Amino acid sequence: GRRTFNKIALGSIPFFLKSNLALSNNHTYKIHRGSISGINNDNISDKITDELTVEENNTILQANNSILLLQKNTKIKHSGNLSFDLIQGAVHAVFNQDSSSKLVSTPTGVLAIRGTGIYCETLEDATYVCCCYGGAYIKNTDHTKNINTSYHVPTMMPKSGQFYDAPFDRPLNHFDNHLVHLEKIAGRKPHWNLPNGEMLFSDGVEL
């Protein structure tokens, strides 16, 4: 059956991450590449709050200053100017470094983020969350965690119980060169601190 969200009360999010969560009347939505079922750049403003199913790997969706790289069969819903529900699948995303907080809900918890590059993938018993740079406040039903980093900190987020280390020897299914490309679409550069000034994780694929 369809998986339901573990909705986390907004009141449990720290005050400094709740600023400017109101909806805006000014929206910029665009599919830069790939395809989403039933959506094109002519109807996207009307359809963006529907549950979207991604039809092609490396689909790139812009929602205002947020740029999302989505993989095939990912299901996602844009539930407001600054909020997304990841129902299933994987999203690699970059968000503007401003005063606004963004919320990303997954089947096992929620992330509150600002000025952050993230990767989330829904797995069988947990959500893989990587804060690629910036800050994230993550919460499941009974635990919270603050992450601040300049380069890739992965965490496994179960629906309940303690967060735990990701059992992978490198970032799962996401790459530094993709972060560069996503930030470039928004006219930005990643605000990271690369080890020895070099990207350690690249797949060599030009998006």
Side-chain angles (χ1 to χ4, degrees):
R2 180 177 170 180
R3 303 175 77 176
T4 58
F5 291 117
N6 170 35
K7 291 294 186 183
I8 307 297
L10 188 59
S12 63
I13 301 297
F15 173 79
F16 73 93
L17 286 171
K18 289 193 290 186
S19 60
N20 297 328
L21 284 171
L23 295 178
S24 168
N25 292 323
N26 299 314
H27 302 294
T28 301
Y29 300 122
K30 184 177 181 180
I31 300 172
H32 286 267
R33 62 161 293 166
S35 62
I36 299 173
S37 179
I39 303 294
N40 56 53
N41 283 328
D42 293 327
N43 68 10
I44 191 169
S45 294
D46 296 328
K47 299 285 189 178
I48 193 67
T49 56
D50 294 346
E51 182 179 305
L52 309 180
T53 301
V54 179
E55 297 182 318
E56 185 178 337
N57 280 332
N58 294 330
T59 290
I60 297 177
L61 171 66
Q62 178 176 359
N64 301 323
N65 290 318
S66 302
I67 314 296
L68 287 69
L69 177 64
L70 303 162
Q71 299 308 315
K72 186 176 180 179
N73 297 323
T74 292
K75 295 182 184 294
I76 195 167
K77 185 174 182 180
H78 180 52
S79 55
N81 188 37
L82 301 171
S83 182
F84 295 92
D85 293 334
L86 176 62
I87 300 167
Q88 70 175 39
V91 57
H92 201 188
V94 296
F95 301 92
N96 194 33
Q97 192 173 19
D98 57 18
S99 60
S100 300
S101 300
K102 290 82 178 173
L103 299 179
V104 178
S105 295
T106 80
T108 63
V110 69
L111 298 81
I113 50 184
R114 178 189 299 159
T116 303
I118 65 159
Y119 177 82
C120 295
E121 183 170 340
T122 60
L123 302 177
E124 184 175 354
D125 297 317
T127 303
Y128 172 94
V129 176
C130 183
C131 185
C132 306
Y133 49 79
Y137 173 90
I138 63 177
K139 179 176 175 60
N140 63 10
T141 55
D142 50 14
H143 286 86
T144 63
K145 182 175 182 178
N146 281 302
I147 303 171
N148 287 283
T149 184
S150 59
Y151 200 58
H152 296 295
V153 172
T155 301
M156 300 301 295
M157 181 172 64
K159 188 170 185 178
S160 61
Q162 293 282 359
F163 305 110
Y164 56 95
D165 293 339
F168 310 104
D169 61 0
R170 59 181 293 127
L172 178 67
N173 298 330
H174 65 291
F175 303 96
D176 291 343
N177 54 310
H178 295 179
L179 285 165
V180 172
H181 183 81
L182 297 178
E183 292 283 25
K184 185 177 181 180
I185 292 174
R188 305 185 299 253
K189 294 181 179 180
H191 50 283
W192 53 20
N193 184 15
L194 296 175
N196 300 316
E198 297 182 358
M199 294 189 297
L200 299 183
F201 309 107
S202 175
D203 66 352
V205 175
E206 187 77 20
L207 294 177

